Amino acid sequence: MKCFEIPEKGKNGAIVDRDAPEAQSGQYLIDVTACGLNFADLLMGEGKYQERLPFPLIPGMEVAGVVRAVGKGVDPAAVGQRVAAFCGAGGLAEQVAVPAERCLPVPEDMTDIEAAGFQIAYGTSHVALDHLARLKPGETLVVTGAAGGVGLTAVEIGALMGAKVVACARGADKLRVAQEAGAHHLLDSDTADLRAEIKALGGADVVYDAIGGEQFDAILRATNPGARLLPIGFAGGAVPQIPANYLLVKNLTVFGFYWGGYLKLHPEVVTGSMSTLMSWFAQGRLRPVVSQATPLPQAAQALDDLRARRSTGKVVITVNQSG
């Protein structure tokens, strides 16, 4: 099979030929049609991700495709089904083997490109905002990186949950995308005084931060007493340091959250969340945004676009596409 492989930590990846995997006990072997990219794929390639994987490495945490074969203990009737799967790594390939419990059927009206980028972005935002932060109608939710893969889903879900959503993103084009997803207030993170403007809007009750660095520091100082903070990622490069005395004085709560880890820690939460999200999609309440659908041979360029934060919504790699 062809795959996008990174030979060593920090090195550039390339398309290579490798032996295809086989379905082991409890697994599906999937013919991949699309693979969603995540910022974590970049961190994996640099050896900076919280889960250190061996090299050579095939990145790609989530895929959509068709079940080609099943391993021992798996119902053979699954062969031929369209599924979306969280594979953790290995998705940037023509085939990938994934535990059956990490796969779910793709609704008929959801494209493979949409399905490939659905689970992590929407799952992260929904579990973070609903299960952890307990976001309430009327509260003010501040989202950084609001036009990115996870940030845009936080805007959309926050608005669905009845919050007043403040979107922070770079430039008018990205802010327009956030507005279309339901944001009520738009702040240009390159030019706005985030602390002053968020305080002028009444302060933040929940902060969903995908950027880190100076943006997080500014928004932290615009939080209301009892606010909840969700540091989701650090696309800006700097991991924020939160003064404990500030948490104490304002009675703030910080939630550490990694969606993939919840598959082991609280799988029932992830299952329930995904059921809700798929229901919302079927009702037309969620509209996944994919800004790029790039063929596998151009995976390196797509990862560069993700690194430079040139994209909005999800970036998806297409594989085994017919026609």
Side-chain angles (χ1 to χ4, degrees):
M1 69 172 187
K2 294 191 181 300
C3 62
F4 179 82
E5 183 181 270
I6 300 172
E8 298 177 40
K9 180 173 71 174
K11 298 293 185 180
N12 293 329
I15 302 298
V16 298
D17 288 307
R18 291 287 179 262
D19 291 338
E22 295 182 359
Q24 303 299 317
S25 179
Q27 289 185 331
Y28 289 163
L29 178 63
I30 299 171
D31 282 331
V32 177
T33 54
C35 176
L37 296 187
N38 294 274
F39 195 76
D41 292 312
L42 299 174
L43 297 178
M44 285 181 193
E46 296 166 359
K48 298 178 180 177
Y49 193 55
Q50 55 257 40
E51 292 185 14
R52 302 299 170 91
L53 301 177
F55 290 86
L57 169 70
I58 302 173
M61 301 179 72
E62 56 182 338
V63 301
V66 178
V67 179
R68 180 186 184 94
V70 300
K72 187 179 298 185
V74 179
D75 185 354
V79 174
Q81 290 184 357
R82 291 175 66 224
V83 295
F86 175 75
C87 49
L92 284 177
E94 291 180 326
Q95 295 178 0
V96 66
V98 184
E101 67 268 17
R102 292 192 177 184
C103 303
L104 69 158
V106 175
E108 287 187 11
D109 55 350
M110 179 181 282
T111 68
D112 286 2
I113 288 173
E114 290 173 329
F118 191 88
Q119 289 189 80
I120 294 177
Y122 279 103
T124 294
S125 293
H126 184 251
V127 174
L129 295 176
D130 183 61
H131 177 71
L132 294 175
R134 304 290 183 186
L135 179 66
K136 302 179 184 66
E139 288 191 312
T140 296
L141 165 66
V142 176
V143 181
T144 68
V150 291
L152 197 60
T153 62
V155 170
E156 193 175 11
I157 290 171
L160 275 177
M161 294 176 69
K164 179 174 71 174
V165 181
V166 180
C168 304
R170 300 164 66 184
D173 290 344
K174 289 188 175 183
L175 288 171
R176 191 177 303 112
V177 172
Q179 186 176 37
E180 291 171 355
H184 303 91
H185 300 280
L186 310 174
L187 299 178
D188 191 325
S189 55
D190 280 343
T191 60
D193 182 338
L194 295 182
R195 178 184 181 185
E197 299 217 27
I198 291 169
K199 290 184 75 172
L201 291 170
D205 298 307
V206 175
V207 177
Y208 184 102
D209 177 51
I211 302 300
E214 294 180 357
Q215 287 191 50
F216 180 90
D217 294 342
I219 297 168
L220 173 65
R221 285 160 176 77
T223 51
N224 293 325
R228 290 87 76 201
L229 308 171
L230 296 155
I232 298 297
F234 318 112
V239 178
Q241 306 300 306
I242 306 172
N245 65 315
Y246 206 77
L247 301 179
L248 184 152
V249 170
K250 281 199 167 184
N251 288 293
L252 303 178
T253 302
V254 181
F255 292 100
F257 175 55
Y258 162 45
W259 184 83
Y262 251 55
L263 290 169
K264 296 179 181 178
L265 184 65
H266 292 297
E268 74 286 353
V269 172
V270 175
T271 300
S273 169
M274 200 53 58
S275 176
T276 297
L277 291 167
M278 285 297 184
S279 175
W280 284 353
F281 177 87
Q283 296 165 18
R285 302 176 73 189
L286 297 178
R287 295 180 299 168
V289 174
V290 177
S291 63
Q292 290 178 238
T294 304
L296 182 62
Q298 282 79 57
Q301 179 60 54
L303 285 164
D304 283 343
D305 290 340
L306 190 65
R307 181 181 290 105
R309 293 163 58 191
R310 286 189 285 265
S311 57
T312 56
K314 289 293 289 191
V315 177
V316 173
I317 301 299
T318 56
V319 191
N320 289 320
Q321 295 283 316
S322 59

